Amino acid sequence: MALPVKLQDVIDALELTSDSIAYFLDRRNGEIEMITDEVWTAAQDDELISEYPEWQREAILKAREIQTTDHFIQLPDKAEIDSFRIMERFCARYPNRRISEKLSAVIKGKGAFRRFNKTISDLGIRDEWNRFERQSFAELAIEWLEDQAIPFTRDDEIELSTEM
């Protein structure tokens, strides 16, 4: 890979990953491509590209390239990210024991994410949660990049190098 990947780009992709959206890193240029399930399926079906609207054709062609070359590597998917585990760690590590116990209790059972979000809003700790979640995504991104032996830069490193 000629250029290092921007860490922030990987973090942003991890945050936006869902059950129907996957992200792929192009090893040649460090760019990240988003592919929806619908586009992925259209590319696999190998139907005529002309059957699709103009706006969707480029994405289908990119998905076909991803499927047929080794230039791309998939970023962690939603299951690998495990948002519930991030939420559990926040609850367990929260410095105020009373709040930590309350948060741990509200994430039990169905509707855990909804109750958690309501509780952090009610307690006025949404900013703390957002920082923790952001840091968790950054740690996951760094770990993944290092495991894949992909060089990366932080945004501040890029800004400094362009100022010289």
Side-chain angles (χ1 to χ4, degrees), residues 17-116:
T17 297
S18 70
D19 291 333
S20 61
I21 298 173
Y23 289 87
F24 296 84
L25 174 69
D26 188 332
R27 297 174 191 258
R28 298 167 297 184
N29 60 19
E31 296 294 316
I32 296 176
E33 300 290 340
M34 178 197 73
I35 303 294
T36 64
D37 283 353
E38 179 184 7
V39 167
W40 189 260
T41 300
Q44 282 179 319
D45 290 346
D46 204 28
E47 294 178 22
L48 291 175
I49 196 95
S50 60
E51 300 291 320
Y52 291 91
E54 184 73 33
W55 61 268
Q56 211 172 18
R57 292 176 189 169
E58 186 176 329
I60 294 169
L61 290 173
K62 183 59 72 175
R64 285 181 181 168
E65 182 183 5
I66 291 168
Q67 293 170 359
T68 59
T69 70
D70 62 355
H71 300 302
F72 297 88
I73 182 168
Q74 184 173 356
L75 274 67
D77 63 17
K78 194 70 175 166
E80 293 169 297
I81 293 169
D82 196 356
S83 296
F84 186 78
R85 180 71 187 116
I86 294 171
M87 192 171 60
E88 281 182 318
R89 283 196 323 269
F90 178 77
C91 297
R93 294 178 183 173
Y94 197 82
N96 179 307
R97 184 176 169 178
R98 183 184 59 78
I99 291 175
S100 174
E101 290 171 355
K102 181 173 186 157
L103 290 171
S104 294
V106 301
I107 64 168
K108 305 262 189 263
K110 187 176 179 179
F113 285 97
R114 180 187 46 78
R115 285 191 309 277
F116 176 79

